Amino acid sequence: MTDHSVPSLTIKKQDAPAQLVSWENPILTIGRDVANDIIIDHRLASRRHARLERDEAGCYIRDLESTNGTYLNGQRVSGLAPLRNNDEVWVADTVIIFRDPEATMKGTPPPVVMRRLTLQEESDLRVDSAAKEIYIKNQRLDPPLTAKEFQLLELLYNHRGEVVSKEQIATHVWDYEVYDYNAIDALIYRLRQRIEDDPSNPHFVVTVRGFGYKLLDERSA
């Protein structure tokens, strides 16, 4: 929880307008006594009823062994309970709504992002660059690819649906010009042996004669 982004509390009492309070201090006390930060002048509230606590890890509500209890989203609190965005704390006739400024906003990603997510979900092949793992039909490839096999597939995957030339493969996988393109053909052969059901009739890595290779996008294949 950053210092410049503090939570807020909406305090609603019966027959009174709602009050918005910034939660600035690490601890806010709640109760009937006038010494509390949030005063609840009601017979069902204890003098020292509950306490709101905030630290770097998060925000919490703590019941102070009150007579009639503190309720979080309808459930009685026993000791300390974490708070989430839009949680409701009930004390006597008062509801305190917690607002977390750092909570993730719900919504729909932009269309281009949605399309990428859909393609990943529908794809038979997925490359996890961070983990250096390959998934085929949601099953991790085991044993893993060699370093050059992975670099080749990662290059094709990042340009799936596009033709990748042998010059591009040479630069990406070997870091220098490969004059004998038989080495690239051999690498393609080994990769197909690992990821294709039928390497002689490839479903993923296809040859575009005279240009290079292409990783097929299942939606357009």
Side-chain angles (χ1 to χ4, degrees), residues 192 196 198-207 216:
R192 284 173 173 161
E196 300 283 3
D198 182 2
S200 63
N201 184 26
H203 173 66
F204 294 120
V205 180
V206 298
T207 302
L216 290 181

Side-chain angles (χ1 to χ4, degrees), residues 124-125 136-137 141 191-205:
D124 288 339
L125 183 146
I136 299 176
K137 296 180 180 178
L141 188 65
L191 178 61
R192 284 173 173 161
Q193 294 295 317
R194 294 300 317 281
I195 68 173
E196 300 283 3
D197 290 334
D198 182 2
S200 63
N201 184 26
H203 173 66
F204 294 120
V205 180

Side-chain angles (χ1 to χ4, degrees), residues 7-19:
S8 64
L9 305 169
T10 300
I11 304 174
K12 297 181 178 179
K13 301 180 181 180
Q14 290 185 357
D15 303 323
Q19 180 185 8

Side-chain angles (χ1 to χ4, degrees), residues 1-156:
M1 186 83 52
T2 56
D3 292 338
H4 64 275
S5 179
V6 298
S8 64
L9 305 169
T10 300
I11 304 174
K12 297 181 178 179
K13 301 180 181 180
Q14 290 185 357
D15 303 323
Q19 180 185 8
L20 182 63
V21 175
S22 294
W23 186 349
E24 300 283 352
N25 298 325
I27 294 176
L28 295 178
T29 56
I30 305 170
R32 198 171 75 246
D33 194 286
V34 293
N36 288 291
D37 298 296
I38 300 175
I39 302 170
I40 300 179
D41 187 14
H42 194 279
R43 293 173 61 186
L44 295 179
S46 299
R47 292 185 181 278
R48 296 180 65 257
H49 194 106
R51 189 165 66 203
L52 292 163
E53 302 178 6
R54 178 167 69 90
D55 57 26
E56 293 182 355
C59 299
Y60 311 88
I61 179 67
R62 183 190 298 274
D63 182 74
L64 300 178
E65 299 182 355
S66 62
T67 301
N68 294 301
T70 302
Y71 291 82
L72 176 60
N73 299 324
Q75 300 295 318
R76 186 161 182 166
V77 174
S78 177
L80 188 70
L83 291 173
R84 302 289 182 262
N85 189 47
N86 292 326
D87 274 353
E88 294 186 356
V89 176
W90 285 86
V91 174
D93 68 337
T94 300
V95 59
I96 302 171
I97 304 173
F98 169 73
R99 310 288 189 189
D100 183 357
E102 297 183 356
T104 301
M105 182 180 294
K106 293 183 179 180
T108 303
V112 64
V113 176
M114 288 296 293
R115 182 176 183 277
R116 289 175 182 172
L117 292 174
T118 301
L119 288 175
Q120 289 180 2
E121 290 173 355
E122 295 182 357
S123 177
D124 288 339
L125 183 146
R126 180 166 61 87
V127 176
D128 187 334
S129 296
K132 303 301 180 187
E133 294 177 340
I134 307 299
Y135 290 84
I136 299 176
K137 296 180 180 178
N138 293 322
Q139 297 295 317
R140 183 167 59 86
L141 188 65
D142 189 30
L145 298 177
T146 65
K148 277 187 167 52
E149 290 169 352
F150 184 90
Q151 288 175 310
L152 171 59
L153 182 56
E154 183 181 44
L155 173 65
L156 294 171

Side-chain angles (χ1 to χ4, degrees), residues 152 155 163-174 176-178 180-186 188 207-208 210-213:
L152 171 59
L155 173 65
V163 176
V164 178
S165 68
K166 290 186 177 182
E167 289 79 7
Q168 288 174 283
I169 294 174
T171 302
H172 182 84
V173 177
W174 278 270
Y176 56 83
E177 182 66 28
V178 175
D180 183 4
Y181 284 157
N182 289 330
I184 295 176
D185 295 336
I188 290 286
T207 302
V208 182
F211 295 97
Y213 299 95

